[in-house]
Amino acid sequence: MTETIKTKFTCRDVRVHYGDFEALHGIDIDIPDRGVTAFIGPSGCGKSTFLRTFNRMNDTIDGCRVSGKILMDGEDIYDKNLDPVLLRAQVGMVFQKPNPFPKSIYDNVAYGPRIHGMTSSRAELDNLVEKSLRRAGLWDEVKDRLKLSGTGLSGGQQQRLVIARAIAVDPEVILMDEPASALDPIATAKLEALIDELKERYCIIIVTHSMAQAARVSDKTAFFYMGDLIEFDNTDKIFTNPGNNRTQDYITGRTG
Amino acid sequence: MTDTSFTSEAALKRLKKRRGKEWRFRIWGRAAIGFALAALAWLLISIVGTGYTAFQQNFMTLEFELSESVLAPDGTRDPEKLRGANYRRIVQTTMYELFPEVTDRKAKQELFGLTSASGATNKLRQMVYNNPELIGQTINVTVPASDQIDQLLKGYIKRDTDESRRKVSDQQIAWADTLKERGVIKKKFNRILFMNPDSRDPELAGIASAVIGSVMILVVAFVLAFPIGVGAAIYLDEFAPKNKFTDFIEININNLAAVPSIVFGLLGLAVFLNFMGMPRSIPLVGGMVLALRVFPTITIATRSALQGVSPSIVDGALSLGASHTQAVFQQKLPLAGPGILTGSIIGMAQALGETAPLLMIGMVAFVTEVPNSITEPATALPVQIFLWSDSAERAWAERTSAAIIVLLVVLITMNGFAIWLRNRLEQRR
């Protein structure tokens, strides 16, 4: 079944250095276009670093270097002629801690469309904001207080607002860096239900510390350890019949 | 062997020691705060104690006969000619008429000394200049009493000192008391202090030119230092490459903030006055010198405000495809705003109190006119205080303290405004 889905990202020998320290030692992986890919592994294994190579957020870190090849739909995203600003419009990101702008809910969602000049009229922008909030499953909760500050929402709502903000730019990929780690179980459940809906439209890559979450939301799972990709396979296979002993040890709680 | 039980004798002893340490630290803290408060209270009490009386002054309401034979013997009504008329004579006549029994020449001179000679003549001259029709009329005018009489009636000149050791004679004391009883001399709110420029006579001296000068200097300093300081901070923090050279610049900016301000004065003297040939004593140069003084403070405050903004906000903007400049100016800078404004206001408050650099560029001049533009000679409030504090007469001490009170009130207002602004802007987040 997975064979019918085309590949979104093709990574070959991806290495990331922070100064002299090599954080990733040559990763080869093909991320499918639809569905959820989960990155798991113990702290410091490089999974977040790897996630941030897909929208070149590592560029903002001093002394960080990425080598190897990452192709998105066959195009090299580290090509010199490619502006990371345009890449990031196609590859949205949700962070560990909800980070809505300290502005109104409306302005949060409208920020991306505004800087990219995506809408030509106020009505169009209103529509886009509503559509994005609806897709993020937040519309019914905030439709009466769009003018209120985004930081006044609960943690789970803030995280969904951030997702709505990312969706508004109409990306193809959404990267999620431990999106539920600051949320309570109920908000987490809502977020996971949202991820389930979004995966029909977007390529989602999620980094998570919770193996249960990876098992619940993802279609494919990649296990990282000490800067290496140990195993990458369908999620049910990884969690029921891993091919590698270290994966086995990690998911059963013996390491990490 | 150590006893690890929490209730053993050794453990209780350790606990007592720990408690003792905490108790001593608290005592030290309270002592330090008490000392600071006592010093502040002492300062305020001594300044307000000497200064508050200057907000009132003794004035004489007198009847002046503006006789044509004295002022315009040739019958002219030309205001320019009337400027040079003998108003002193009018004042003398009025003063002598207060006590007609005085005939002795020396006594007459003492009698004339009760009023502020230049205060009264200047006022009459101005009135006649504005309205020559007054000639020939008799008008009631309120003029300041002389500074010695003012000080006497305020109780600063002691009546029980020997006559030879005070500037007011026994006869003058008697006259002053009589005039007070008659209601000629009255204590009133001292508008002169706020409305007049500097003067040789303490009873006519005010802080108007100094206050206007200070405001002009601050405006110039702010207009120059704020954009430069904030711009430098944003560039250094967000866009400059991190290398040895920018480290060097950073160290230098931090050092600049600690350079004694008189050095900036010398720099201003060398560059603005000697090299660029700008005039001395003008607020424009004062503001430029103080801009140099304040801009490192603004830069440092801005950088710490920028560093206080959570990086996740910038990450959020970048991840949506905002350019670095957009992320900084649209998301980060508004959040750093309160910190930047607070730092800038405190920087301006520092500038308001600066004296030394202004002395170097000639703002210590004796300025008897309120400046109308930033290129006219002016002085500044702290410099005015310095000038007055240097004068010997008793009346100057009172006015010096009054000027200090005004300066302190402005400083407290500025700092209070900074705190209010910060709280208000932070609430909006």
Side-chain angles (χ1 to χ4, degrees):
Chain A
M1 181 197 129
T2 44
E3 272 69 32
T4 62
I5 296 175
K6 66 182 174 101
T7 302
K8 189 74 190 173
F9 288 107
T10 311
C11 305
R12 291 295 173 265
D13 195 30
V14 174
R15 290 167 193 273
V16 178
H17 289 84
Y18 293 112
D20 294 332
F21 171 73
E22 188 174 85
L24 287 173
H25 317 301
I27 308 291
D28 295 320
I29 196 171
D30 292 325
I31 311 270
D33 192 11
R34 287 283 178 273
V36 180
T37 304
F39 291 173
I40 60 170
S43 295
C45 70
K47 56 193 190 304
S48 286
T49 298
F50 189 47
L51 186 77
R52 291 165 69 98
T53 60
F54 292 111
N55 65 346
R56 292 184 57 173
M57 282 297 276
N58 286 327
D59 292 13
T60 63
I61 299 169
D62 277 328
C64 181
R65 253 177 322 115
V66 180
S67 60
K69 264 206 168 354
I70 302 178
L71 307 179
M72 179 177 166
D73 299 325
E75 273 185 68
D76 185 356
I77 62 172
Y78 279 84
D79 190 281
K80 281 203 173 61
N81 297 321
L82 185 133
D83 192 335
V85 162
L86 295 178
L87 172 70
R88 290 183 198 136
Q90 291 168 8
V91 184
M93 187 162 191
V94 175
F95 297 83
Q96 191 170 353
K97 217 178 114 231
N99 60 347
F101 302 132
K103 299 181 171 180
S104 74
I105 294 168
Y106 183 94
D107 286 339
N108 260 282
V109 182
Y111 182 69
R114 275 184 183 142
I115 58 174
H116 295 296
M118 291 168 66
T119 52
S120 52
S121 70
R122 176 82 195 191
E124 225 177 303
L125 186 60
D126 286 351
N127 275 336
L128 183 56
V129 168
E130 179 178 343
K131 195 176 86 185
S132 306
L133 284 168
R134 276 189 196 283
R135 273 202 197 146
L138 195 60
W139 176 252
D140 291 330
E141 291 160 61
V142 301
K143 62 182 175 197
D144 301 322
R145 44 175 173 154
L146 292 176
K147 292 271 170 277
L148 298 186
S149 173
T151 49
L153 298 172
S154 73
Q157 288 173 323
Q158 288 189 15
Q159 204 59 302
R160 279 179 287 149
L161 175 62
V162 172
I163 292 174
R165 187 174 77 181
I167 290 173
V169 193
D170 196 25
E172 296 161 21
V173 183
I174 301 174
L175 309 175
M176 298 188 178
D177 191 358
E178 299 178 42
S181 62
L183 305 184
D184 66 41
I186 295 170
T188 304
K190 277 191 185 165
L191 184 76
E192 288 176 4
L194 174 62
I195 293 172
D196 237 21
E197 276 174 40
L198 294 175
K199 72 178 183 182
E200 305 297 328
R201 282 174 171 276
Y202 306 96
C203 162
I204 293 174
I205 308 176
I206 179 169
V207 164
T208 177
H209 265 130
S210 154
M211 277 164 292
Q213 186 173 60
R216 282 195 301 266
V217 302
S218 69
D219 304 303
K220 294 199 125 196
T221 298
F223 172 61
F224 289 81
Y225 189 75
M226 306 279 281
D228 284 310
L229 172 63
I230 304 298
E231 195 171 351
F232 178 52
D233 211 326
N234 289 336
T235 299
D236 42 6
K237 173 137 194 312
I238 291 267
F239 281 95
T240 52
N241 186 18
N244 188 295
N245 282 340
R246 272 188 297 205
T247 318
Q248 172 89 39
D249 287 352
Y250 181 69
I251 60 172
T252 52
R254 250 173 282 168
T255 56
Chain B
M1 194 193 100
T2 49
D3 188 349
T4 50
S5 156
F6 288 123
T7 50
S8 73
E9 206 168 294
L12 289 175
K13 220 173 160 183
R14 274 199 304 276
L15 186 67
K16 206 175 163 194
K17 219 174 149 187
R18 278 155 61 188
R19 287 256 181 262
K21 225 174 185 173
E22 187 181 323
W23 182 80
R24 281 195 300 277
F25 181 74
R26 281 176 190 232
I27 294 295
W28 272 116
R30 283 181 196 170
I33 289 173
F35 178 76
L37 286 180
L40 183 67
W42 188 35
L43 173 85
L44 287 179
I45 289 170
S46 74
I47 288 173
V48 173
T50 24
Y52 81 100
T53 47
F55 294 104
Q56 285 195 320
Q57 191 165 317
N58 286 294
F59 288 89
M60 309 173 106
T61 307
L62 300 170
E63 218 169 62
F64 294 101
E65 194 197 338
L66 301 172
S67 65
E68 188 167 12
S69 56
V70 178
L71 294 178
D74 53 354
T76 181
R77 289 293 181 272
D78 178 10
E80 292 309 322
K81 275 191 183 163
L82 287 172
R83 253 182 199 283
N86 192 356
Y87 296 95
R88 195 180 171 88
R89 183 78 176 278
I90 307 277
V91 178
Q92 278 169 339
T93 314
T94 301
M95 293 307 291
Y96 299 159
E97 276 167 9
L98 286 173
F99 296 97
E101 68 276 13
V102 179
T103 48
D104 174 47
R105 192 154 172 266
K106 194 165 169 263
K108 273 184 161 179
Q109 219 166 35
E110 279 186 7
L111 180 55
F112 179 60
L114 292 183
T115 188
S116 163
S118 35
T121 50
N122 287 347
K123 189 152 190 181
L124 292 181
R125 180 178 296 125
Q126 192 60 42
M127 287 175 85
V128 172
Y129 180 77
N130 290 341
N131 181 14
E133 297 304 309
L134 287 175
I135 290 177
Q137 297 183 29
T138 300
I139 52 173
N140 271 317
V141 182
T142 303
V143 297
S146 77
D147 62 306
Q148 298 295 343
I149 296 303
D150 181 51
Q151 296 296 303
L152 171 82
L153 293 175
K154 280 174 179 167
Y156 290 123
I157 292 178
K158 297 275 175 279
R159 289 154 193 262
D160 48 13
T161 4
D162 190 66
E163 193 179 5
S164 61
R165 297 186 56 198
R166 51 177 148 78
K167 284 189 173 174
V168 190
S169 68
D170 289 340
Q171 181 63 71
Q172 281 180 313
I173 292 178
W175 284 331
D177 289 340
T178 319
L179 289 177
K180 204 170 173 173
E181 264 167 48
R182 283 200 221 156
V184 174
I185 296 182
K186 268 194 190 131
K187 223 195 225 174
K188 288 188 183 173
F189 176 70
N190 190 358
R191 279 186 62 202
I192 289 174
L193 180 66
F194 295 98
M195 305 304 287
N196 274 27
D198 201 5
S199 167
R200 301 251 178 241
D201 304 300
E203 75 271 14
L204 298 176
I207 55 174
S209 66
V211 168
I212 303 287
S214 272
V215 168
M216 286 174 173
I217 289 171
L218 284 192
V219 169
V220 172
F222 184 79
V223 166
L224 291 175
F226 185 74
I228 295 176
V230 173
I234 294 173
Y235 179 74
L236 275 179
D237 238 36
E238 296 293 335
F239 299 100
K242 303 274 174 285
N243 55 31
K244 287 257 161 60
F245 183 63
T246 46
D247 284 351
F248 177 73
I249 291 176
E250 187 176 342
I251 290 171
N252 274 292
I253 288 183
N254 290 343
N255 274 342
L256 217 50
V259 167
S261 56
I262 194 153
V263 176
F264 288 100
L266 284 167
L267 181 75
L269 177 65
V271 175
F272 299 135
L273 300 189
N274 292 348
F275 179 69
M276 294 167 71
M278 298 173 94
R280 291 165 61 84
S281 320
I282 63 171
L284 177 63
V285 176
M288 284 158 77
V289 168
L290 289 188
L292 291 176
R293 168 82 182 90
V294 167
F295 116 85
T297 311
I298 295 181
T299 301
I300 291 168
T302 304
R303 295 193 69 180
S304 81
L306 284 173
Q307 281 156 9
V309 176
S310 159
S312 72
I313 296 293
V314 173
D315 281 352
L318 290 177
S319 76
L320 289 170
S323 68
H324 192 179
T325 318
Q326 282 174 323
V328 169
F329 281 90
Q330 294 170 354
Q331 301 296 348
K332 196 170 189 176
L333 203 54
L335 286 177
I340 295 174
L341 285 181
T342 313
S344 306
I345 295 172
I346 288 171
M348 296 322 286
Q350 272 180 4
L352 177 62
E354 276 304 348
T355 321
L358 300 180
L359 300 184
M360 297 313 299
I361 55 152
M363 295 209 72
V364 70
F366 177 66
V367 179
T368 52
E369 262 169 59
V370 177
N372 289 318
S373 79
I374 54 171
T375 50
E376 279 174 36
T379 188
L381 202 44
V383 179
Q384 188 73 77
I385 290 167
F386 169 76
L387 281 171
W388 285 356
S389 70
D390 218 20
S391 309
E393 277 163 276
R394 181 61 190 76
W396 288 116
E398 190 192 44
R399 271 184 150 65
T400 305
S401 293
I404 293 174
I405 293 171
V406 173
L407 184 66
L408 286 181
V409 167
V410 176
L411 285 176
I412 290 168
T413 312
M414 280 174 82
N415 287 335
F417 180 66
I419 292 168
W420 175 81
L421 196 69
R422 190 182 57 210
N423 288 344
R424 205 185 130 86
L425 289 174
E426 273 175 356
Q427 265 169 17
R428 288 215 335 243
R429 285 192 190 178

